Amino acid sequence: MTREFVDSLSVRWTEKYDEKISKFWKKLPTPLKNISVFCAVLLLGISISGNWINLWVHLCLQINSSVRNIKTINNNERSFEYVELKGFWSFFVAANAVSFVIYLSIGGFLHWYYYVRQRDRAEEWKCQPNKFLTPDLEKHEIIFGSVTLFLNGTLSSLLACYIYNGGPCSVYYDIQEYGWPWFILQFVVIFVYQDYLTYWMHRIFHTPWLYKHFHKMHHKYKYPTAFSVTAIHPVESIFIQSVLATPLFLFPVHWLSFYIVVMYTYYHGIIDHSGINFKSYWWQPWQPDAIFHDNHHQYFHVNFGFNICIWDTIHGTCRQKERVYNEEIFYGKGKSLKEVTEEEIEVDMDERNSENPLAYRNDKLEYQLDRSEIEKIRH
Ligand SMILES: [Zn+2]
Ligand SMILES: [Zn+2]
């Protein structure tokens, strides 16, 4: 597949047909527009992880209790060595084909919605309003996004096929089996388990060797877009996907609660990489605003968490006003203003001034420092 092919399918077509799409979009009622964008993000999230095929398999097993009974018998009788992967290629082709089509079409639509439609008034919505990825980097993230997409699709089809064939796991289908209290509680358990592990995996990938060899690729996108979320190194992607699937084998999880948490996570993965000043809602006190991860891309080794902000607070890796961060300063704590050179301060100030106040609460730049404050700290 050539670069031009992928690029023109996913990004250029929306720019080319901007006028036509805008005309159609204007005719839609606002609630329908909002629902469409919400569904598009959700659909993209569930496809880039290849998880739509797992959802499908569990839904089939939920509805078709006779297949499930065979699965239960198999679960009891089989050990891991005898699990078959019957029909794997059908799962593989379906997972990858659907994921790829959705990635290019819905991803393209979201690119149009966020970036083409309102590009000329970026100061109203963009976290870093004067900075956009170069066309080369846009291509780069779609190429790497596609490779990761293929890997995610392959891993997900393996898992889906394994579960469909009755492979041993700790998933259950009847809520009564473990009762309602556990059904409700497991949302929290799965969410906290996955998010805390992700915090540490991310932080470990930011240590010098792992960063330079793997994670740096994702940090090519200093001004991330909705496509950046999958543009990560294949090794990192396989590792993270595998760790995130562990609850399916460790403790009793109802398939619905597991995949609702997964959908939430991917939904926010896209929102947090969109580069847009999204704020979390009142009912999500644990969820940082999109600027939190945007800061991670702008300042590199800081703000390692994703969906729960307290991990960074607890471990002291949250961005602080009087610290300086850049790609050369590792370990998440930055450097004090006293330790850095004048040149580093100049670069850091330029970065701070390029941020959008609208991305913060109260529309005020939270990390703004003026010269006199800096001088006072340094001398
Ligand atoms: Zn990172
Ligand atoms: Zn990122």
PDB file of all heavy atoms in Angstrom, residues 218-219 273 293 296-297 306, ligand 2:
ATOM      1  N   HIS A 218       5.736   7.836  19.176  1.00  0.00           N
ATOM      2  CA  HIS A 218       4.442   8.463  19.469  1.00  0.00           C
ATOM      3  C   HIS A 218       4.624   9.949  19.785  1.00  0.00           C
ATOM      4  O   HIS A 218       3.699  10.742  19.609  1.00  0.00           O
ATOM      5  CB  HIS A 218       3.791   7.730  20.656  1.00  0.00           C
ATOM      6  CG  HIS A 218       2.460   8.273  21.063  1.00  0.00           C
ATOM      7  ND1 HIS A 218       1.352   8.245  20.241  1.00  0.00           N
ATOM      8  CD2 HIS A 218       2.050   8.873  22.214  1.00  0.00           C
ATOM      9  CE1 HIS A 218       0.335   8.798  20.877  1.00  0.00           C
ATOM     10  NE2 HIS A 218       0.717   9.191  22.074  1.00  0.00           N
ATOM     11  N   HIS A 219       5.821  10.326  20.222  1.00  0.00           N
ATOM     12  CA  HIS A 219       6.074  11.723  20.598  1.00  0.00           C
ATOM     13  C   HIS A 219       6.594  12.573  19.453  1.00  0.00           C
ATOM     14  O   HIS A 219       7.001  13.712  19.653  1.00  0.00           O
ATOM     15  CB  HIS A 219       7.007  11.785  21.806  1.00  0.00           C
ATOM     16  CG  HIS A 219       6.250  11.576  23.086  1.00  0.00           C
ATOM     17  ND1 HIS A 219       5.623  12.602  23.748  1.00  0.00           N
ATOM     18  CD2 HIS A 219       5.963  10.452  23.780  1.00  0.00           C
ATOM     19  CE1 HIS A 219       5.010  12.110  24.822  1.00  0.00           C
ATOM     20  NE2 HIS A 219       5.191  10.807  24.856  1.00  0.00           N
ATOM     21  N   HIS A 273      -6.208  13.058  22.519  1.00  0.00           N
ATOM     22  CA  HIS A 273      -5.212  13.309  21.474  1.00  0.00           C
ATOM     23  C   HIS A 273      -5.719  14.272  20.416  1.00  0.00           C
ATOM     24  O   HIS A 273      -4.981  14.611  19.506  1.00  0.00           O
ATOM     25  CB  HIS A 273      -4.804  11.993  20.799  1.00  0.00           C
ATOM     26  CG  HIS A 273      -3.871  11.179  21.631  1.00  0.00           C
ATOM     27  ND1 HIS A 273      -4.314  10.240  22.517  1.00  0.00           N
ATOM     28  CD2 HIS A 273      -2.520  11.198  21.755  1.00  0.00           C
ATOM     29  CE1 HIS A 273      -3.270   9.701  23.135  1.00  0.00           C
ATOM     30  NE2 HIS A 273      -2.181  10.272  22.693  1.00  0.00           N
ATOM     31  N   HIS A 293      -3.172  15.692  28.620  1.00  0.00           N
ATOM     32  CA  HIS A 293      -2.347  14.845  27.751  1.00  0.00           C
ATOM     33  C   HIS A 293      -1.716  15.665  26.620  1.00  0.00           C
ATOM     34  O   HIS A 293      -0.641  15.332  26.129  1.00  0.00           O
ATOM     35  CB  HIS A 293      -3.153  13.672  27.187  1.00  0.00           C
ATOM     36  CG  HIS A 293      -2.278  12.616  26.576  1.00  0.00           C
ATOM     37  ND1 HIS A 293      -1.439  11.809  27.324  1.00  0.00           N
ATOM     38  CD2 HIS A 293      -2.059  12.265  25.283  1.00  0.00           C
ATOM     39  CE1 HIS A 293      -0.769  11.005  26.530  1.00  0.00           C
ATOM     40  NE2 HIS A 293      -1.128  11.263  25.269  1.00  0.00           N
ATOM     41  N   HIS A 296       1.374  16.675  27.904  1.00  0.00           N
ATOM     42  CA  HIS A 296       2.322  15.557  27.855  1.00  0.00           C
ATOM     43  C   HIS A 296       3.042  15.538  26.502  1.00  0.00           C
ATOM     44  O   HIS A 296       4.249  15.284  26.430  1.00  0.00           O
ATOM     45  CB  HIS A 296       1.596  14.237  28.109  1.00  0.00           C
ATOM     46  CG  HIS A 296       2.480  13.035  27.961  1.00  0.00           C
ATOM     47  ND1 HIS A 296       3.469  12.732  28.867  1.00  0.00           N
ATOM     48  CD2 HIS A 296       2.551  12.077  26.993  1.00  0.00           C
ATOM     49  CE1 HIS A 296       4.100  11.642  28.461  1.00  0.00           C
ATOM     50  NE2 HIS A 296       3.565  11.225  27.333  1.00  0.00           N
ATOM     51  N   HIS A 297       2.309  15.814  25.428  1.00  0.00           N
ATOM     52  CA  HIS A 297       2.935  15.818  24.096  1.00  0.00           C
ATOM     53  C   HIS A 297       3.797  17.060  23.883  1.00  0.00           C
ATOM     54  O   HIS A 297       4.811  17.001  23.213  1.00  0.00           O
ATOM     55  CB  HIS A 297       1.862  15.715  23.004  1.00  0.00           C
ATOM     56  CG  HIS A 297       1.427  14.304  22.786  1.00  0.00           C
ATOM     57  ND1 HIS A 297       1.922  13.514  21.777  1.00  0.00           N
ATOM     58  CD2 HIS A 297       0.567  13.520  23.476  1.00  0.00           C
ATOM     59  CE1 HIS A 297       1.384  12.305  21.848  1.00  0.00           C
ATOM     60  NE2 HIS A 297       0.542  12.290  22.873  1.00  0.00           N
ATOM     61  N   PHE A 306      -3.754   8.833  32.262  1.00  0.00           N
ATOM     62  CA  PHE A 306      -4.728   9.019  31.181  1.00  0.00           C
ATOM     63  C   PHE A 306      -6.102   9.424  31.710  1.00  0.00           C
ATOM     64  O   PHE A 306      -6.520  10.551  31.528  1.00  0.00           O
ATOM     65  CB  PHE A 306      -4.820   7.762  30.312  1.00  0.00           C
ATOM     66  CG  PHE A 306      -3.589   7.569  29.487  1.00  0.00           C
ATOM     67  CD1 PHE A 306      -2.534   6.807  29.963  1.00  0.00           C
ATOM     68  CD2 PHE A 306      -3.459   8.184  28.254  1.00  0.00           C
ATOM     69  CE1 PHE A 306      -1.376   6.656  29.227  1.00  0.00           C
ATOM     70  CE2 PHE A 306      -2.304   8.050  27.498  1.00  0.00           C
ATOM     71  CZ  PHE A 306      -1.254   7.274  27.987  1.00  0.00           C
TER      72      PHE A 306
HETATM   73 ZN    ZN B   2      -0.260  10.371  23.544  1.00  0.00          ZN
END
